[in-house]
């Protein structure tokens, strides 16, 4: 963990989690609302800290967080191979599954820290800019600040679980290639393909099997009462794909000839 925290890519990734809410605040400050509508979470971003934090998550879950998680998991083993240090790690000797376990634990902690840091910074920036008013939804529901924190916690927990499939996919690619950029880019590319396919209505119920189909199911946490159905399906889908990808990664790494 100490080594990863000293790396520039980790510092830049976590730093951008702090910078994004500030960038969004500047965009809302210098922009103008011409239509005056309140039909989406983005339209309500300036309603208070909770709304602003929710909008930060809304903008991040479909791409930015996928990139960050892919970076932490896709770079972890492939970077060792690209530095030609992987074979020396295993020559200590270090059991291969133990090495993978430690890599996964550190990458998971960094990914979760990035998610929490984004949400917390969004809340702080929103509180300073717009106050700590109630959380307001596009359909008119309002939640007190205390309840809003609980609902945001549910959203963060769901996003963390649902995106485990990205972690598993990036990790599988990381143990398959010696190019970190290939592992990170491959995971991001496949996630984009999944999102595109999910927009094709001709696929019908086949879209339900796509890992990104329930990526926005967290919106069920900000209605009264909470809609758990899609969130449960999305969490199960993410964990199922993650279990498959991590298992394949472990099997692949155990049988792979390490020459890098």
């Amino acid at each position: 963990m100490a080594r990863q925290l000293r790396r520039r890519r980790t510092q830049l990734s976590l730093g951008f989690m702090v910078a994004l809410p500030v960038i969004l605040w500047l965009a809302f400050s210098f922009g103008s609302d011409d239509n005056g509508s309140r039909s989406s979470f983005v339209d309500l971003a300036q309603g208070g800290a909770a709304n602003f934090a929710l909008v930060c998550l809304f903008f991040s879950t479909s791409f930015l967080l996928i990139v960050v998680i892919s970076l932490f998991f896709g770079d972890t083993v492939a970077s060792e191979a690209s530095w030609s240090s992987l074979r020396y790690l295993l020559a200590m000797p270090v059991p291969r599954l133990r090495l993978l376990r430690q890599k996964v634990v550190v990458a998971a902690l960094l990914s979760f820290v990035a998610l929490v840091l984004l949400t917390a910074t969004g809340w702080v920036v929103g509180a300073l800019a717009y106050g700590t008013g109630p959380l307001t939804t596009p359909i008119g529901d309002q939640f007190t600040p205390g309840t809003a924190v609980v609902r945001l916690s549910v959203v963060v927990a769901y996003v963390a679980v649902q995106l485990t499939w990205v972690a598993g996919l990036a990790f599988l690619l990381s143990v398959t290639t010696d190019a970190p950029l290939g592992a990170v880019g491959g995971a991001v590319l496949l996630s984009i393909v999944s999102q595109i396919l999910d927009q094709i209505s001709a696929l019908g119920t086949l879209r339900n099997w796509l890992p990104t189909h329930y990526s926005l199911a967290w919106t069920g946490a900000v209605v009264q009462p909470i809609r758990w159905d899609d969130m449960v399906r999305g969490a199960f889908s993410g964990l199922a794909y993650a279990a498959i990808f991590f298992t394949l990664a472990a099997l692949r790494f155990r049988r792979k000839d390490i020459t890098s």
Side-chain angles (χ1 to χ4, degrees), residues 17-29 40-60 117-137 148 152 218:
M17 294 296 101
V18 176
L20 179 62
V22 178
I23 294 173
L24 291 178
W25 168 68
L26 291 174
F28 284 117
S29 298
S40 70
F41 288 109
V42 179
D43 297 323
L44 297 167
Q46 302 176 72
N51 280 94
F52 191 76
L54 204 61
V55 168
C56 290
L57 286 171
F58 177 78
F59 282 127
S60 305
L117 190 61
L118 172 67
T119 308
T121 305
W123 178 279
V124 172
V125 172
L128 293 175
Y130 311 118
T132 56
L135 171 63
T136 305
T137 69
L152 275 175
W218 56 263

Side-chain angles (χ1 to χ4, degrees), residues 1 4 72-73 76 101-111:
M1 174 64 78
Q4 294 302 317
F72 288 141
F73 280 89
T76 183
R101 183 195 66 192
Q102 296 305 104
K103 294 283 190 182
V104 168
V105 168
V106 172
L109 287 175
L110 289 175
S111 299

Side-chain angles (χ1 to χ4, degrees), residues 19-251:
L20 179 62
V22 178
I23 294 173
L24 291 178
W25 168 68
L26 291 174
F28 284 117
S29 298
F30 289 102
S32 60
D33 186 4
D34 297 329
N35 55 25
S37 65
R38 293 293 183 267
S39 58
S40 70
F41 288 109
V42 179
D43 297 323
L44 297 167
Q46 302 176 72
N51 280 94
F52 191 76
L54 204 61
V55 168
C56 290
L57 286 171
F58 177 78
F59 282 127
S60 305
T61 52
S62 297
F63 184 74
L64 178 60
L65 286 173
I66 290 177
V67 173
V68 172
I69 293 173
S70 298
L71 179 63
F72 288 141
F73 280 89
D75 178 75
T76 183
V77 176
S79 61
E80 296 280 1
S82 67
W83 298 332
S84 297
S85 59
L86 187 57
R87 56 184 173 181
Y88 297 108
L89 275 177
L90 298 176
M92 287 184 178
V94 175
R96 293 193 178 194
L97 290 183
R98 180 185 176 189
L99 174 65
L100 291 186
R101 183 195 66 192
Q102 296 305 104
K103 294 283 190 182
V104 168
V105 168
V106 172
L109 287 175
L110 289 175
S111 299
F112 187 71
V113 167
L115 175 59
V116 173
L117 190 61
L118 172 67
T119 308
T121 305
W123 178 279
V124 172
V125 172
L128 293 175
Y130 311 118
T132 56
L135 171 63
T136 305
T137 69
I139 61 176
D141 290 335
Q142 285 194 337
F143 304 96
T144 62
T147 304
V149 172
V150 175
R151 297 301 179 98
L152 275 175
S153 300
V154 174
V155 172
V156 169
Y158 173 76
V159 171
V161 173
Q162 203 279 325
L163 289 180
T164 52
W165 75 269
V166 178
L169 175 60
F171 198 70
L172 173 59
L173 295 176
S174 185
V175 303
T176 304
T177 179
D178 293 350
L181 184 59
V184 176
V188 174
L189 177 62
L190 289 174
S191 70
I192 293 174
V193 171
S194 178
Q195 293 180 47
I196 293 174
L197 292 176
D198 192 41
Q199 301 302 315
I200 302 176
S201 58
L203 292 176
T205 57
L206 291 177
R207 295 184 299 168
N208 297 341
W209 296 91
L210 295 172
T212 56
H213 183 70
Y214 297 101
S215 59
L216 293 178
W218 56 263
T219 55
V222 288
V223 296
Q224 185 62 34
I226 296 179
R227 293 184 56 186
W228 294 103
D229 48 356
D230 281 348
M231 286 198 291
V232 170
R233 295 187 185 98
F236 178 80
S237 174
L239 290 174
Y241 276 107
I244 294 172
F245 291 143
F246 279 119
T247 300
L248 292 175
L251 294 175

